[in-house]
Amino acid sequence: MKPRFNYITNLDIKFNHLEKIDIPQLVEACKDNWFNQTLTQANDSVVRLGIVEGEYHWHKHEQDDEFFFVLSGELLIDLEDQTIELNPNQGVTITKGIMHRPRAPQKTVMLMIETASIQPTGN
């Protein structure tokens, strides 16, 4: 039985190629504390919007790297031996197989780039 978390994760692709993506409009409409929406697909990767506050669970992705880029707020990514702090206009790539836990002490808006086949909750 898979664990259940109070996260809203929409894996459907919301925008087609050549369709304008309005991040502030999506942020304004979001009422959830941990929201993840796939925005678009480019080749074998997807771009996802995360609007988050609070803690995610510890997890890893055995087959996939994961890129985080903060637009607003502050994202802390705990690793087993350190914490990476990301502020607006900063990003980091988490290497596949690395145990990590994202958390946001305040409402944070970020973009994530990862393979379309990734399981966001980890494996």
Side-chain angles (χ1 to χ4, degrees):
M1 182 174 182
K2 287 189 175 188
R4 297 189 60 155
F5 303 101
N6 191 24
Y7 313 137
I8 305 301
T9 303
N10 299 316
L11 299 178
D12 61 301
I13 296 170
K14 189 164 182 70
F15 298 95
N16 294 316
H17 288 193
L18 305 177
E19 189 175 354
K20 183 170 71 173
I21 300 169
D22 187 336
I23 299 294
Q25 182 180 40
L26 294 169
V27 172
E28 178 70 26
C30 180
K31 305 303 180 210
D32 301 296
N33 281 349
W34 203 281
F35 176 82
N36 184 326
Q37 172 67 58
T38 302
L39 298 175
T40 190
Q41 184 164 355
N43 301 311
D44 295 332
S45 297
V46 291
V47 178
R48 292 197 169 109
L49 173 67
I51 305 167
V52 300
E53 185 172 358
E55 291 184 359
Y56 207 65
H57 64 281
W58 283 97
H59 68 285
K60 62 183 172 178
H61 307 283
E62 292 290 350
Q63 305 299 319
D64 303 285
D65 298 329
E66 189 173 24
F67 176 73
F68 296 89
F69 187 83
V70 173
L71 299 175
S72 65
E74 176 187 31
L75 184 68
L76 303 172
I77 302 176
D78 295 324
L79 307 177
E80 292 177 309
D81 62 346
Q82 67 175 307
T83 297
I84 299 169
E85 179 182 334
L86 298 176
N87 293 297
N89 302 312
Q90 295 180 327
V92 69
T93 301
I94 303 299
T95 308
K96 62 185 165 191
I98 299 285
M99 186 69 75
H100 61 286
R101 175 183 65 175
R103 56 189 171 95
Q106 62 192 20
K107 183 176 182 177
T108 297
V109 179
M110 64 180 164
L111 295 176
M112 295 160 286
I113 301 173
E114 48 205 17
T115 61
S117 61
I118 198 170
Q119 175 64 24
T121 55
N123 47 15

